[in-house]
């Protein structure tokens, strides 16, 4: 029956049309079902309606019904034969599940309808055949509810309200505790609700099936699905497949259950099956977070045989797929079925551990192990942890996603977004999360829920985002309307601070300290050890202090690519001296301040160069506009008024007035493009002189102590060859003077930042004077787009919404535009100086996609913040291996 | 004697080593002297020490004395033979002039020493030989004075003080009225002054000569010479030549004189000899502006024969040089000598008239006539003239440089600079100007002097600068110390307004109106008629109003290349509506304001499109950040306080508070790179919609009236293809709606500005969507350099001083950097769309060098302000002819 126009692919014990590679056509779920069927795992039989059908559906619904529907009917016919169950009639009627399944797993995004095939007459027949009333009605009310929601678009909460009222009347906590009679009445109420809402529930089973399949295809375009694809860079054209499958009933009775599991622990990576199950449950109840599920180890008691088989199946899945699997199962009257398998999403820690372990177990090669971790996942291993000491424990839940977050409580996703836009750190606190909350989760520091397990929506999404998350904190009593949460007898309100520990599941009152991670006992360095010779692009760090330099070394940086000297002047004692220098009214006073600053700088350089002994340290001359060192004029004015009223001594007021005068004079309309960078050093050569002298004195002092300082001086914001020449000549003059004074010489290089379009355009001219290039892609991006990073927030969100800009160019390098300038600069630079050393020191230096691009441009190094060094190293190795890393977030 | 190392070139009746082409080696003056000698004109014999000697002098003074000086001595020896006069002895001693002469004429910049060869003994001998005492002493005191100033660096004013005191004692006005005895005493005082100042006047004539020659070479590097070369883009490496020549004595007596002349009128271009002379004068007295000279026509009475000969010589010079000449002459005891000839500097009006006339006279070709006018000179023909009606006449002088200026009086060059920096229009009022005043003249609106003639320093420099200037206003009594000027019994002080008419020489009290020029009776259009088919690059105008559009048509623009829609909202009645729209709190209110704005816009577009009937009009959508339409927050706050105190009605205060709120919200840290350009239209589609609708409605209305509107809509600040697509789709939608509503269709194009580096880099992608490109080189320059035009003043002056930046890139296009992006955009754009129309609408569109570059890039048009259209047309024709225009400013 395989034709060139095949739309439907069957799978059952006798026949499997598809295979695990056909994810494009069958979606992830469909390919997984075909795969499991092929290797003899117990999968309820069924068929997959392909993504090709989805595309046709969206192009032409008429054609869809003419071409696809007949194939569905044929497959349904054979399913009736295979199962021996008739669809739409009794006895033993065929019940079907209809589930979406796209190429890329999109948790909770697409829609599901279970128990299709039931109708009033069949339910009556079942009851007459002594089928348990509570099972029949439970299945039927679920069908009505899901069909109402997915197909008829009646708000889910309308159904929930009816259930809640009934639970309250009966004094029970969960739906499952309602008896058959009660569920029967609920079915009637649901049908009434559907009628009231103008909907119509078809008693014809085939109509139920067709409408459900079409609704799933339709759901590809729901706003929440579109948002998810945008957030995750998934193409709109892919479409989803639909899987139609025999229902196995985890809600059949006490010896039935449903659950989800992982072949290894998705949170820690520990090599043992891990998961959760709920007796007497169906479908997505385990992940919905309404009832808190049981751990898989409890299955040993209640379902010993099924548990044993599950472990066996899990092992088979891992050997087959050579990757950690995330599977769903159902137990119907003691018999175990697998409903789905796919590569499991995991935390960064788990990804690293699993890759390392699988390589050690001989399951995957070293290259594969390197490709199995997305560089961003490393972040979780490097981030600080919460220091509990002295904290007041508020609640304890499940540690769903590791990390530490400290922030202010908000109770809705919209509030989270609005607070975050004001720069506030927020923690999203919800009873449970749904796909409608994704935008809020995305901006939150951390997520806390009262319900749900380790595989609940909140947990899965948070792990994917690498965000700290605690779920199932059942002692919390959350009132989302009143914006209050009660815990330990306290009432917290919106804006109150809490601290959440995603590693332990503990939640504390107020703001606790975060401390450095202990690098997970060497796991990360062991993993990075696998990179070996794969990594050719070097990784340096941006570091302005001895502390940062030390951290950089620990993380494997082979030098400092950017040491920002201005940061050295922002400490309070130094800032005053800097201000004195800037506002000095006599040459003598200016000189005195410069001498003091030189002392500070020399000390800084001494400690940094000493730590980086033998490794290159690139020191950038003063860069920001000078007004950044002075208080704002408005602030000064009010402070002066205040001081006058207090009768403070005149000298202090005079000092303030001087600052005010200079602050006003230095104000610029567009400071980003104003008097900064090398423009400062040219107008104020005394500053360049002071900085160079401090640097060379420090280096010579270390050389005398037997050290090997490697100094690179970097001139910022160059657009003209003459600017470089002016500053380079001054630096050389100072160096020569220091060498003569100390009798010690050190080798050094002078290079330029490439951060203005003109520098890239004239890179050949610059290269004939400059020893090295370092791309400042922050400024280069600003100038190439004409976007001020400080102001672009106003319109970049409109751009995202309208799909004008694929991603924020300040986070991911714009290879088409900015990258074109970089390529030009590399080519022109090397044409003038073949072995020109070229690096990057903008924030893109730690972004994996940008690191890959730098590797392709044959640059020598990237430089990024110390915490990003391991990410950059991994990205560099992966770039050299030439393919994209697996994404298991 | 011509050797490969010849440094000295002789000229006399018997032998001429040089020729008029050798300006590089002999300087302009030396080449002129050689030329005149060759064609038999009466030139006092002498020799030229070449610029090569100057270069050697600055490289190695030792080598200079060894290699050059012997050649000078040889030439001097032959000069003694030719003249029959011995140097340094009596009787009839040889007196020499030493005058600088560089490749390019630099009026008043370089230095001169006259009467070299005199000393105490020779003067005594001369007196004994009955030579007139006043002549001998007059020559000697001049030598002492000039030698003291030029060679010994004793301030000129020290000598002037002595002369002034003597004049006062004797009750005479001019030095020339002092008798021989008095001049003898002055010589003694001068010698004493030289001694007191630590100098030494050599009695050895040869030493006088050597020191004078070296001083001239030295003077190449005086600050004022360096400044002049910088202002006029003259290379530092050229060096100057020195001309040593027999003195002819215009001060010998009543039948002697000296003067300067032009073969045509340098102010009006009228085809008749024009100039001035002073009886009993020497050297530069005519141009020094101390005594007001007589017009050449007065020579007819006093020196009829010399006048006749002078006219003959002038005619010879013009036929020889085929260009208007500026010459110097001296009459010694009735005999006429020519001392110099060179191409004459002239006003723009004169340049145009002379080029046209010489072409009509058959003296030069049409191509030559086109190349003879520097485009910048046209400015003077286009400028407004002063409306005298109702003005109170203050004084009347010589109309030295045409134009009209209205401004505030200042009395020194430094004050002029400091007032001008504050944005004030200043008129520099001086007794006379000197080269030390150039920086002040450069920033002044106009220049007014009490002394000096049409060839005085002030007059020559002002004409070169194209600045309005009146000289020789002798009724003014200027007290530069007190900062006062008296005229007509009134006392004016610094800061008082006057109005100066450079066309009539009249000066008025207060601020008169300026009115449009009448285009000099068709002269300019007659001249532009010569361009014909030479001009291939089209010229459009930037025009935002019907008035501008009308002006543009008159000046020969073939369309509007930039119609800035925001300017239409800045009129007071419209601004309020714009503010209402921006701050509207309901959709209804916003809509009402938009409707009003749309009315305004439609009226504007109607009138502009009607005037430009059949010619393209490029309308740019709203560009500036919205906060520009709101008052500043600080201003609003204080206005609100004020209104409250006044008890103004609450609604007005509420309106202010609303404005304040929005003004604060819209504030940006770098507005140049903020929410502006197409970013506005994307965030606020209603604005694009309103503007497009107004435009298409206006065009359709005109079409109905039988007109042919040609509409081009331009989207500003595009960096992403998606931005263009978003706005273009909206514009097309609106256009279609208007066409349907009106039942009329008009053709239109939608194009993009190329003003961000990214747009140039991705020009191929943009071109596949955009119908045309227009370079916005102001923003493109800002982004390419990372220079904010508003702030760059802070460092660009340091860059000029240090030679880091050759010229201000906001005035002259940076071809190396910005030009590279433009070239890329043209090539990429045309690769995607071969006939893509490309223009430029930045301020560079009217800059001749940039127009030339645009021609080379094969762009279709440049667009500039209406007043610059003729300049751009001329520059385009000259670019097509492929050589640089003559510079006669």
């Amino acid at each position: 029956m395989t034709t060139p126009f095949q739309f439907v692919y069957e799978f059952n014990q006798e026949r499997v049309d598809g295979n695990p590679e056909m994810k494009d056509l069958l979606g992830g779920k469909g390919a997984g079902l075909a795969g499991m069927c092929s290797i003899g795992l117990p999968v309820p039989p069924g068929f997959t309606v392909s993504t090709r059908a989805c595309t046709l559906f969206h192009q032409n619904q008429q054609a869809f019904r003419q071409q696809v529907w007949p194939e569905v009917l044929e497959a349904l016919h054979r399913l009736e034969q295979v199962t021996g169950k008739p669809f739409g009639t009794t006895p033993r009627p065929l019940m079907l599940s209809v589930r979406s399944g796209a190429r890329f797993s999109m948790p909770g995004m697409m829609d599901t309808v279970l128990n299709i095939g039931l109708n009033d007459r069949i339910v009556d027949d079942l009851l007459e055949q002594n089928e348990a009333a509570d099972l029949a009605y439970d299945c039927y009310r679920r069908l009505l509810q899901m069909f109402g929601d997915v197909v008829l678009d009646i708000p889910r909460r309308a159904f929930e309200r009816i259930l809640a009222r009934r639970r309250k009347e009966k004094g029970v906590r969960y739906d499952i505790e309602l008896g058959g009679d009660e569920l029967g009445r609920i079915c009637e109420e649901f049908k009434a609700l559907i009628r009231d809402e103008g909907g119509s529930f078809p008693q014809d089973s085939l109509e139920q099936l067709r409408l459900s399949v079409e609704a799933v295809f339709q759901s590809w375009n729901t706003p929440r699905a579109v948002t998810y694809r945008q957030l995750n860079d998934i193409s709109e054209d892919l479409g989803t497949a639909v899987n139609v499958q025999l229902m196995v009933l985890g809600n059949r009775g006490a010896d039935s259950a449903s659950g989800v599991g992982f072949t290894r622990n998705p949170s820690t990576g520990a090599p043992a099956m891990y998961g959760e199950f709920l007796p007497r449950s169906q479908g997505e109840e385990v992940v919905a977070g309404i009832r808190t599920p049981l751990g898989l180890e409890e299955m040993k008691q209640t379902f010993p045989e099924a548990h044993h088989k599950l472990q066996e199946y899990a092992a088979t899945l891992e050997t087959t797929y050579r990757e950690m699997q995330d599977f769903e199962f159902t137990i119907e009257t003691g018999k175990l079925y697998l409903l789905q398998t796919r590569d499991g999403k995991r935390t960064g820690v788990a990804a690293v551990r699993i890759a390392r372990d699988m390589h050690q177990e001989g399951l995957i090669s070293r290259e594969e192990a390197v490709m199995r971790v997305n560089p961003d996942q490393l972040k979780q291993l490097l981030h600080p942890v919460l220091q509990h000491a002295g904290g007041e424990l508020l609640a304890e839940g499940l540690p769903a996603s590791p990390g530490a977050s400290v922030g202010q409580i908000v109770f809705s996703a919209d509030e989270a977004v609005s607070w975050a836009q004001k720069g506030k750190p927020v923690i999203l606190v919800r009873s449970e999360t749904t796909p409608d909350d994704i935008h809020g989760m995305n901006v939150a520091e951390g997520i806390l829920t009262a319900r749900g397990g380790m595989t609940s929506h909140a947990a899965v999404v948070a792990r994917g985002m690498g965000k700290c998350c605690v779920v199932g904190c059942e002692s919390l009593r959350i009132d989302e309307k009143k914006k209050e949460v009660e815990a330990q007898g306290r009432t917290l309100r919106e804006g109150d601070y809490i601290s959440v520990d995603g590693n332990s599941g503990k939640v504390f009152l107020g703001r606790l300290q975060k401390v450095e991670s202990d690098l997970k006992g060497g796991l990360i360095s062991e993993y990075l050890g696998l990179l070996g010779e794969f990594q050719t692009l070097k990784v340096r760090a941006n570091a302005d202090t001895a502390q940062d330099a030390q951290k950089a070394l620990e993380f494997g940086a082979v030098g400092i690519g950017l040491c920002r000297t201005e940061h050295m002047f922002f400490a309070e004692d130094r800032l005053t001296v800097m201000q004195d220098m800037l506002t000095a009214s006599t040459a003598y006073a200016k000189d005195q301040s410069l001498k003091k600053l030189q002392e500070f700088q020399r000390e800084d350089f001494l400690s940094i160069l000493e730590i980086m002994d033998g490794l290159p340290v690139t020191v950038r001359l003063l860069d920001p506009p000078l007004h950044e060192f002075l208080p704002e004029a408005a602030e000064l004015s009010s402070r002066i008024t205040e001081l006058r009223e207090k009768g403070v001594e005149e000298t202090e007021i005079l000092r303030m007035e001087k600052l005010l005068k200079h602050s006003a004079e230095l104000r610029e309309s567009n400071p980003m493009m104003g008097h900064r960078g090398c423009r400062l050093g040219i107008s104020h050569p005394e500053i360049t002189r002071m900085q160079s002298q401090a640097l060379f004195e420090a280096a010579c002092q270390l050389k005398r102590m037997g050290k090997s300082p490697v100094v690179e001086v970097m001139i910022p914001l160059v657009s003209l060859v003459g600017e470089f020449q002016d500053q380079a000549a001054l630096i050389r003059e100072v160096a020569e003077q220091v060498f003569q004074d100390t009798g010690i010489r050190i080798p050094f290089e002078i290079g330029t930042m490439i951060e203005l379009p003109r520098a890239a355009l004239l890179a050949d001219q610059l290269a004939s004077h400059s020893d090295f290039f370092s791309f400042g892609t922050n400024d280069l991006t600003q100038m190439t787009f004409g976007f001020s990073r400080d102001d672009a927030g106003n319109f970049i969100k409109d751009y995202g919404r309208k799909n004008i800009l694929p991603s924020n160019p300040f986070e991911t390098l714009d290879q088409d535009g900015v990258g074109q300038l970089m390529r030009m600069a590399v080519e022109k630079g090397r044409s003038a100086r073949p072995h020109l050393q070229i690096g990057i020191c903008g924030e893109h230096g730690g972004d994996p996609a940008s690191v890959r691009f730098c590797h392709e441009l044959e640059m020598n190094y990237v430089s990024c913040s110390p915490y990003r060094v391991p990410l950059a190293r991994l990205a560099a190795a992966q770039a050299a291996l030439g393919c994209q890393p697996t994404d298991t977030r």
Side-chain angles (χ1 to χ4, degrees), chain A:
Chain A
M1 253 302 294
T2 310
T3 74
F5 302 103
Q6 184 172 2
F7 288 108
V8 175
Y9 292 76
E10 298 177 39
F11 52 88
N12 53 56
Q13 263 74 308
E14 288 163 24
R15 152 181 183 171
V16 182
D17 291 346
N19 69 53
E21 306 305 313
M22 294 167 74
K23 285 187 184 169
D24 280 343
L25 204 56
L26 305 184
K29 193 173 286 175
L33 290 167
M36 289 194 292
C37 242
S38 309
I39 55 172
L41 292 174
V43 171
F47 53 87
T48 304
V49 188
S50 72
T51 57
R52 194 187 283 153
C54 180
T55 307
L56 185 64
F57 175 82
H58 285 292
Q59 284 166 352
N60 184 343
Q61 296 202 16
Q62 193 62 28
F64 170 82
R65 291 191 191 172
Q66 285 169 4
Q67 293 175 43
V68 179
W69 193 241
E71 272 195 50
V72 170
L73 293 180
E74 277 180 47
L76 177 63
H77 179 68
R78 269 189 297 278
L79 185 58
E80 289 178 313
Q81 292 175 331
V82 167
T83 56
K85 295 183 178 192
F87 185 55
T89 56
T90 48
R92 304 185 68 238
L94 180 59
M95 281 195 270
L96 298 176
S97 70
V98 165
R99 293 188 298 166
S100 63
R103 171 71 178 88
F104 297 103
S105 157
M106 302 196 281
M109 287 283 107
M110 303 303 296
D111 292 302
T112 297
V113 185
L114 299 181
N115 308 326
I116 286 173
L118 292 182
N119 58 24
D120 292 353
R121 188 177 44 73
I122 291 178
V123 170
D124 287 347
D125 285 353
L126 286 173
L127 292 175
E128 281 170 24
Q129 287 157 44
N130 294 324
E131 188 67 77
D134 42 1
L135 175 65
Y137 283 127
D138 191 44
C139 288
Y140 197 34
R141 67 98 186 164
R142 286 173 195 264
L143 170 60
L144 290 166
Q145 190 171 357
M146 285 190 262
F147 194 94
D149 170 24
V150 173
V151 182
L152 304 174
D153 207 22
I154 297 166
R156 190 186 302 226
R157 64 180 178 283
F159 296 98
E160 292 295 346
R161 260 199 302 267
I162 292 169
L163 284 167
R165 197 180 60 235
R166 289 287 174 184
R167 284 198 301 268
K168 201 173 169 196
E169 284 169 13
K170 286 282 160 189
V172 301
R173 195 164 172 200
Y174 300 119
D175 301 335
I176 201 170
E177 297 163 306
L178 296 166
D181 294 352
E182 201 59 29
L183 288 168
R185 276 188 287 274
I186 286 171
C187 286
E188 291 310 310
E189 286 191 73
F190 279 6
K191 283 187 278 185
L193 170 64
I194 289 172
R195 275 192 307 274
D196 294 349
E197 291 281 334
S200 155
F201 175 75
Q203 291 291 322
D204 177 353
S205 305
L206 270 180
E207 188 70 2
Q208 290 171 16
L209 177 63
R210 189 179 60 76
L211 290 173
S212 298
V213 169
E214 292 185 359
V216 169
F217 284 154
Q218 206 67 267
S219 79
W220 175 256
N221 280 337
T222 57
R224 70 188 193 197
V226 172
T227 303
Y228 185 89
R229 289 197 294 275
Q230 275 175 356
L231 278 174
N232 291 275
D233 281 335
I234 296 174
S235 159
E236 288 298 306
D237 305 328
L238 281 176
T240 181
V242 175
N243 298 288
V244 180
Q245 212 175 352
L246 168 71
M247 279 300 305
V248 283
L249 304 175
N251 58 341
R252 188 177 278 283
D255 53 354
S256 297
S258 65
V260 299
F262 295 85
T263 56
R264 302 188 186 223
N265 188 313
S267 187
T268 66
M273 185 172 79
Y274 180 91
E276 291 164 329
F277 76 108
L278 267 179
R280 277 191 77 186
S281 72
Q282 203 181 43
E284 298 181 337
E285 265 175 281
V286 171
V287 300
I290 293 164
R291 284 155 66 194
T292 300
L294 310 170
L296 282 193
E297 61 282 5
E298 296 195 35
M299 264 179 84
K300 283 186 195 160
Q301 271 89 54
T302 42
F303 301 87
E305 197 184 336
H307 184 264
H308 179 74
K309 277 228 185 292
L310 199 57
Q311 271 191 316
E312 205 175 278
Y313 297 161
T316 308
L317 286 173
E318 267 209 358
T319 356
T320 307
Y321 289 98
R322 304 171 63 246
E323 186 38 307
M324 188 268 265
Q325 294 296 296
D326 163 358
F327 53 83
E328 290 180 18
F329 65 91
T330 289
I331 302 168
E332 180 175 327
T333 330
K335 174 154 173 50
L336 178 67
Y337 296 89
L338 292 180
L339 297 183
Q340 170 169 355
T341 190
R342 57 184 175 186
D343 292 348
K345 292 184 183 290
R346 64 205 73 174
T347 64
V349 182
V352 172
R353 177 150 182 199
I354 291 170
R356 184 200 61 178
D357 289 355
M358 285 192 163
H359 173 56
Q360 284 176 356
E361 292 162 20
L363 212 54
I364 57 176
S365 69
R366 182 153 73 89
E367 285 87 339
E368 282 177 304
V370 170
M371 298 312 296
R372 281 284 167 89
V373 177
N374 187 299
D376 282 337
Q377 290 180 310
L378 290 185
K379 271 190 269 181
Q380 293 172 33
L381 282 80
L382 304 167
H383 282 174
V385 296
L386 208 61
Q387 192 156 40
H388 295 183
E392 179 182 334
L393 189 68
L394 210 58
E396 196 163 353
L398 301 171
S401 181
S405 60
V406 176
Q408 291 173 276
I409 300 177
V410 294
F411 293 95
S412 78
D414 290 340
E415 286 294 339
V417 168
S418 123
W419 284 59
Q421 274 173 347
K422 290 174 201 140
K424 305 211 170 142
V426 294
I427 292 180
L428 181 60
V429 178
R430 305 277 289 161
S431 296
E432 57 193 310
T433 66
T434 72
D436 296 328
D437 293 324
I438 286 197
H439 60 299
M441 300 172 77
N442 201 32
V443 299
E445 296 288 314
I447 296 144
L448 172 63
T449 70
R451 285 185 274 174
M454 292 293 279
T455 49
S456 65
H457 178 267
V460 171
V461 172
R463 282 202 292 273
M465 289 177 171
K467 252 180 228 296
C468 166
C469 175
V470 168
V471 298
C473 231
E474 304 211 349
S475 66
L476 297 179
R477 303 177 67 90
I478 300 173
D479 187 329
E480 290 166 2
K481 259 197 193 144
K482 276 178 133 178
K483 301 190 182 177
E484 282 180 8
V485 54
E486 257 185 67
Q488 302 282 18
R490 289 176 170 280
T491 303
L492 304 183
R493 292 192 181 77
E494 188 178 61
D496 287 346
Y497 272 95
I498 61 172
S499 302
V500 176
D501 184 348
N503 301 310
S504 67
K506 288 179 172 151
V507 182
F508 297 89
L509 191 68
R511 306 158 77 166
L512 297 194
Q513 288 292 311
K514 296 195 235 178
V515 292
E516 297 303 318
S517 147
D518 64 351
L519 298 193
K520 309 285 167 194
L523 171 60
I524 193 166
S525 47
E526 212 175 308
Y527 178 70
L528 291 174
L530 297 177
L531 305 184
E533 77 292 349
F534 297 149
Q535 184 199 341
T536 54
L537 179 71
K538 290 196 170 69
V539 178
R540 297 193 190 176
N542 300 347
D544 314 333
T545 62
Q547 200 183 0
D548 283 355
Q550 193 59 53
K551 187 59 66 193
L553 263 193
E554 281 168 27
F555 284 168
V558 294
I560 290 180
L562 176 62
C563 176
R564 280 169 290 233
T565 51
E566 57 270 20
H567 287 194
M568 302 175 178
F569 298 129
F570 283 122
E572 207 182 336
D573 54 335
R574 299 173 173 201
L575 192 56
T576 315
V577 182
M578 186 74 182
Q579 292 171 349
D580 288 346
M581 191 275 283
L582 292 175
T583 60
S585 40
T586 69
Y588 177 78
K590 187 177 204 85
D591 209 48
Q592 289 303 104
S593 303
L594 278 167
K595 283 211 177 93
K596 280 190 215 163
L597 291 172
Q598 191 173 321
E599 272 308 304
F600 288 136
Q601 289 253 291
R602 190 172 56 224
E603 292 306 315
D604 292 326
F605 290 141
L606 257 179
S607 61
I608 291 174
L609 286 171
E610 188 167 13
I611 289 167
M612 283 285 155
D613 189 33
L615 294 173
V617 174
T618 308
V619 173
R620 182 178 70 183
L621 299 180
L622 198 70
D623 185 53
L626 297 179
H627 64 71
E628 288 195 10
F629 296 103
L630 301 178
E632 269 199 62
E635 192 192 324
L636 276 167
S637 296
S638 68
R639 226 196 291 170
I640 289 171
T641 315
E642 203 179 298
L643 289 178
R644 279 204 192 292
E645 281 165 5
K646 279 193 192 158
V648 169
E649 53 175 335
E650 197 62 16
T651 53
E652 180 58 15
I653 292 175
L654 281 177
R655 186 182 130 78
M656 290 286 163
E657 282 177 342
K658 210 159 155 192
L659 285 178
L660 176 61
K661 177 173 157 283
H662 282 83
S663 179
E665 275 175 16
L666 290 173
R667 190 169 349 167
E668 295 180 307
S669 28
N670 294 283
M672 194 66 79
M673 309 163 79
H675 203 170
R676 52 173 286 236
C678 67
R679 300 161 196 174
L680 291 177
I682 290 168
S683 300
H684 307 284
E686 65 279 8
I687 296 179
T688 301
R689 192 177 285 279
M690 175 275 284
Q691 294 199 295
S692 313
Q693 192 165 341
L695 177 61
F696 288 110
E697 283 177 0
C700 288
Q701 187 172 334
L702 286 169
K703 180 83 179 289
R704 177 178 290 134
M705 292 157 59
K707 303 276 184 182
S708 307
V710 183
V711 170
E712 299 178 345
V713 188
M714 184 156 72
I715 303 173
L717 217 70
V718 168
S719 65
L720 292 151
V721 175
E723 292 172 325
F724 183 86
Q725 288 175 304
D726 178 275
Q727 292 291 285
L730 182 54
I731 295 161
R732 290 214 174 82
E733 181 197 314
V734 173
E736 197 50 47
Q737 190 61 50
V738 172
F739 297 162
Q740 281 181 15
D741 291 351
T742 59
I744 292 173
R745 304 192 83 82
I746 55 139
F748 66 95
E749 295 199 330
I750 305 178
T752 181
M753 296 277 290
I754 303 283
E755 54 187 336
L756 295 172
R758 199 174 188 282
L761 292 164
L762 297 175
D764 42 353
Q765 288 183 24
L766 277 170
S768 57
H769 297 91
S770 175
D771 296 326
F772 62 88
F773 281 178
S774 180
F775 287 105
T777 46
N778 299 346
D779 273 309
L780 195 58
T781 299
Q782 295 200 92
M783 297 304 155
T784 305
F785 279 89
F787 284 176
S788 156
R789 192 163 44 159
D790 298 335
D791 305 310
N794 285 335
F795 51 87
I796 276 191
K797 61 174 191 289
D798 294 326
Y799 279 28
R801 201 166 40 77
K802 293 193 169 190
N803 263 326
I804 290 174
L805 197 58
S807 57
N808 186 332
F810 295 109
E811 287 163 14
T812 296
L813 189 74
D814 160 48
Q815 296 186 11
D816 290 346
V818 178
Q820 202 181 132
L821 282 175
M822 290 173 70
R823 187 181 298 276
M824 195 182 294
V826 169
E827 284 168 7
K828 290 192 174 195
R830 294 246 169 90
S831 77
R833 187 183 284 238
H835 299 291
L836 183 70
Q837 174 184 260
I838 304 179
I840 177 176
C841 63
E843 276 171 31
H844 296 105
D847 169 66
S850 310
V851 169
R852 169 181 297 265
F853 182 68
C854 294
H855 173 86
E856 283 163 12
L857 289 189
E858 297 183 34
M859 284 168 45
N860 301 82
Y861 69 85
V862 297
S863 187
C864 54
S865 78
Y867 283 99
R868 288 204 151 244
V869 167
L871 279 69
R873 289 177 60 197
L874 178 56
Q878 291 176 341
L881 287 172
C883 46
Q884 292 284 352
T886 318
D887 195 346
T888 54
R889 283 171 295 171

